[in-house]
Amino acid sequence: MTISADELLTTTRSVRRRLDLTREVPLDLVKECLEIALQAPTGSNAQGWHWVVVTDEDKRKTIGDYYGRSFRRYYESSASAGRLYEDDPARAATQQRVSASAAYLAEHMGEVPVLVLGCLTVPALPQGNQAGLWGSLLPAAWSYMLAARARGLGTAWTSLHLAYEAEIAELLGIPGDVRQGVLIPTAYYTGETFGRAKRQPLDEVLHTDQW
């Protein structure tokens, strides 16, 4: 797949309904994407990240079950995507589509052929703002998703599994000083390609020199 940097950055979408649940993803292809992810910036060049790639059917199903439980609580909460901007007809329709696709993914998470967990070595979580901590993992996770998109793979960014972080850590043998930051379901996507998403105009969110 040949794709410009601008197109890659503007058309990498969260893929939920269009993940191909029946097609095997070669582990070497996932590793290729992770090699690219390791070039992302990390604070003090610490490189404290770890990547747990789950392909075992039973373990994927168990993670999917935990994810489904967490999603159901989220779906019923006021923070659910489908309940945001209900008083704005233009945005409400989009939110309903996002909510429906998220529900589909939650129902099928355990069937996605590859689940990638981005983790970070953290002896103890700091109090207050943790942006500096997770800034050493999340850019690499996004780089993984971009690399996957360039290779015909679909991904989605989610962290709802963290409600069962301890249980998933036990399932996968993740050490106690390693914290999970993101769960990235990975599969070939169906359909042709993706376009730009509708976003708020830049002028509505841009602040120059002061708020």
Side-chain angles (χ1 to χ4, degrees), residues 12-176:
T12 298
R13 306 264 70 85
S14 287
V15 187
R16 303 181 184 96
R17 288 184 182 275
R18 291 173 55 185
L19 294 173
D20 190 335
L21 305 177
T22 63
R23 185 177 175 186
E24 182 179 352
V25 176
L27 183 57
D28 284 346
L29 190 58
V30 175
K31 289 181 177 179
E32 190 176 305
C33 296
L34 287 172
E35 287 282 2
I36 291 173
L38 296 187
Q39 293 297 313
T42 173
S44 301
N45 195 35
Q47 303 178 58
W49 45 42
H50 290 273
W51 307 90
V52 183
V53 179
V54 185
T55 61
D56 179 84
E57 183 177 0
D58 291 337
K59 291 179 178 178
R60 285 187 288 117
K61 182 180 184 303
T62 299
I63 293 172
D65 289 343
Y66 283 131
Y67 188 88
R69 291 187 216 172
S70 181
F71 178 83
R72 285 188 287 275
R73 287 199 299 270
Y74 157 77
Y75 186 78
E76 295 168 359
S77 74
S78 59
S80 175
R83 298 187 180 184
L84 299 181
Y85 308 110
E86 288 181 315
D87 58 348
D88 183 342
R91 296 191 70 173
T94 298
Q95 293 301 122
Q96 288 298 320
R97 289 194 296 272
V98 170
S99 182
S101 68
Y104 177 88
L105 177 61
E107 183 179 351
H108 296 281
M109 180 67 81
E111 302 170 49
V112 179
V114 177
L115 302 178
V116 176
L117 289 159
C119 306
L120 196 64
T121 301
V122 185
L125 287 174
Q127 297 294 318
N129 195 315
Q130 296 183 4
L133 172 68
W134 296 109
S136 287
L137 172 68
L138 303 189
W142 179 234
S143 289
Y144 168 81
M145 294 173 70
L146 292 170
R149 161 87 170 96
R151 288 159 177 75
L153 297 174
T155 59
W157 184 293
T158 183
S159 57
L160 286 175
H161 71 294
L162 292 177
Y164 295 95
E165 181 181 11
E167 290 84 353
I168 293 173
E170 182 177 3
L171 173 72
L172 301 175
I174 298 174

Side-chain angles (χ1 to χ4, degrees), residues 199-207:
R199 297 295 194 219
Q200 291 175 265
L202 176 60
D203 287 345
E204 293 184 9
V205 296
L206 174 65
H207 312 277

